[in-house]
Amino acid sequence: MRTTPRSRTTPRSSRAFALREKLHPPLKIFAVVRTLAGLGVEAKPLLLGSGLSPSDVASAHCRTSVFQFLTVCANAAKLSPDPQWAVRVGSQMHLIDYGMYGFVLACAGSLRAACELAMRYHILATPVVPIELFEDQTTACWTFPPLDEAHLPDVDDRLFRALLEMQIGIHVALTRHVMGAWCVPARVTFALERPQHANVLEEVFECPVVFDQIRTELHYPVEWLDRTPQFANPITATQVSATCAKLLEEHKWSLGLSRRVYAELTRTPGRFPSMREVAGTLCMDARTLRRRLDEEGTSYIDLLTSVRQALAVDYLSTTLLTVDDIAAALGFSDATSFRHAFKRWTGRTLTEYRAGAGQAVATPSTR
């Protein structure tokens, strides 16, 4: 018996994700280049059409898009002499290949916690295929969508099979790294025909692999979710999770429409256009704007709050405006409402924040 999904791997933003937005370090692309190099494929033809150079792929400062990753994978499918290239990429991925995302999984207090963190911060992992986690009385099951639900432009059946094999290979490898070599899947099912390299998949996954099924799934015994990872550390987990949360926030504001709405809200100092006005400026109605922002994991209210908070910090740090003046400039009905909102945003009072900012002159705003 299957239960409803405990939670999604990511917000709906990952499905409606702007595939061409350059948000991600080239960690996955580096992994593809590394594996294909071992198969005799040079980096330059592998990166053709991606707009990336070999030096970009090795740079911590480079940011890449899902579309660029898909381009590199399409090239790999054409150039690799080994039809199992994708599962080899996935199986050779390690926690350190995912930066902070990998570290937060390693430090989790249980496998269940690691799964929840993986879902919460999935957008940091250059997500390509949306996934969900289900539980019933015996099985913890990761599920993967068919091609028509994955929303990947210009990806054919052959490439999609490779992406699924890579994704499952990554899941298996990272779970093993988190828990230990003993933690292998109970079963893998594919909603695809049996390929010639099926035996290789069974060797890599270390479990039975079944084809021509209704869904593509990765199964583990449900009781394993309560076991403790080998590197569990609650202090480090809290620290790294805070870093991942900050990175997730940066991603959210970097998405296309969110960025445009943010710009409209900061265009005229002291005046914040309504959602209807912003929608009109962006040539859409308010309902469409609300839906598209929801797809990016945010809302008009979230963006307005972010703008007001940023302006409040700026006014308190760089001006001698009174609290009443700042409250009015930010659209609050009175200074008391502003004080409460600022404490909620930052955990600090106006007096504490202005003192910390080194304000040289005491003003009525510190009363």
Side-chain angles (χ1 to χ4, degrees):
M1 170 175 143
R2 179 184 295 279
T3 64
T4 346
R6 294 179 55 253
S7 58
R8 285 188 178 273
T9 51
T10 61
R12 283 196 298 133
S13 56
S14 60
R15 294 197 182 193
F17 195 79
L19 296 181
R20 293 180 183 271
E21 291 283 350
K22 295 180 180 179
L23 303 173
H24 309 282
L27 296 169
K28 272 189 175 178
I29 295 176
F30 179 83
V32 175
V33 172
R34 178 181 60 195
T35 300
L36 271 288
L39 299 174
V41 180
E42 295 183 358
K44 190 172 182 180
L46 195 59
L47 298 173
L48 187 66
S50 69
L52 297 168
S53 68
S55 60
D56 290 332
V57 173
S59 172
H61 304 292
C62 179
R63 289 296 177 268
T64 63
S65 67
V66 173
F67 182 80
Q68 288 174 304
F69 174 71
L70 291 174
T71 299
V72 174
C73 288
N75 291 338
K78 295 174 184 176
L79 297 171
S80 175
D82 183 354
Q84 298 92 41
W85 67 272
V87 71
R88 299 199 189 285
V89 171
S91 65
Q92 292 172 19
M93 292 289 281
H94 198 282
L95 291 170
I96 62 172
D97 289 320
Y98 274 100
M100 284 296 169
Y101 180 77
F103 284 117
V104 78
L105 303 185
C107 300
S110 67
L111 179 56
R112 174 177 275 103
C115 291
E116 291 171 351
L117 290 167
M119 293 186 287
R120 184 185 309 167
Y121 300 126
H122 189 222
I123 198 172
L124 302 180
T126 319
V128 176
V129 180
I131 50 180
E132 293 180 328
L133 179 66
F134 292 84
E135 278 186 52
D136 61 24
Q137 292 182 341
T138 61
T139 305
C141 171
W142 292 105
T143 69
F144 306 82
L147 177 56
D148 60 353
E149 294 178 12
H151 309 299
L152 297 174
D154 303 320
V155 171
D156 59 19
D157 291 339
R158 180 179 175 223
L159 180 56
F160 188 65
R161 176 190 285 274
L163 293 171
L164 283 179
E165 291 179 0
M166 184 189 301
Q167 186 66 54
I168 294 175
I170 291 171
H171 268 67
V172 171
L174 295 191
T175 303
R176 190 182 294 128
H177 294 319
V178 168
M179 301 303 295
W182 61 268
C183 192
V184 297
R187 186 172 185 249
V188 173
T189 68
F190 280 97
L192 300 168
E193 294 180 357
R194 183 181 180 87
Q196 292 183 348
H197 59 276
N199 60 322
V200 175
L201 297 179
E202 290 196 343
E203 290 175 7
V204 171
F205 300 152
E206 298 186 59
C207 70
V209 180
V210 186
F211 298 90
D212 297 307
Q213 301 299 297
I214 297 175
R215 289 175 290 268
T216 298
E217 299 180 338
L218 171 62
H219 295 180
Y220 287 92
V222 71
E223 62 267 21
W224 289 7
L225 292 178
D226 295 318
R227 295 192 179 184
T228 303
Q230 53 186 340
F231 303 115
N233 186 306
I235 297 173
T236 305
T238 300
Q239 293 174 331
V240 180
S241 184
T243 301
C244 286
K246 183 177 179 181
L247 291 172
L248 188 64
E249 191 75 4
E250 291 173 0
H251 273 262
K252 184 168 67 174
W253 302 135
S254 296
L255 290 170
L257 185 62
S258 301
R259 186 170 56 224
R260 293 170 64 191
V261 173
Y262 193 97
E264 291 301 321
L265 290 171
T266 58
R267 188 177 300 281
T268 305
R271 180 184 178 277
F272 301 110
S274 67
M275 184 168 69
R276 187 181 298 276
E277 291 173 315
V278 172
T281 301
L282 299 178
C283 301
M284 63 183 74
D285 58 36
R287 183 175 180 179
T288 300
L289 177 61
R290 182 184 296 108
R291 174 178 57 79
R292 290 186 56 188
L293 288 176
D294 181 56
E295 289 172 347
E296 292 189 357
T298 188
S299 68
Y300 169 83
I301 295 299
D302 287 343
L303 292 165
L304 177 59
T305 299
S306 180
V307 170
R308 291 169 112 185
Q309 181 178 346
L311 289 174
V313 167
D314 183 59
Y315 290 147
L316 290 167
S317 302
T318 64
T319 77
L320 298 180
L321 290 172
T322 67
V323 166
D324 289 331
D325 289 338
I326 296 175
L330 297 180
F332 286 95
S333 58
D334 53 52
T336 300
S337 298
F338 171 48
R339 289 179 188 276
H340 290 323
F342 191 82
K343 182 66 180 293
R344 186 171 64 252
W345 294 338
T346 66
R348 301 166 68 183
T349 66
L350 297 176
T351 302
E352 291 169 343
Y353 191 88
R354 217 159 204 178
Q359 196 71 21
V361 180
T363 72
S365 64
T366 61
R367 69 181 183 274

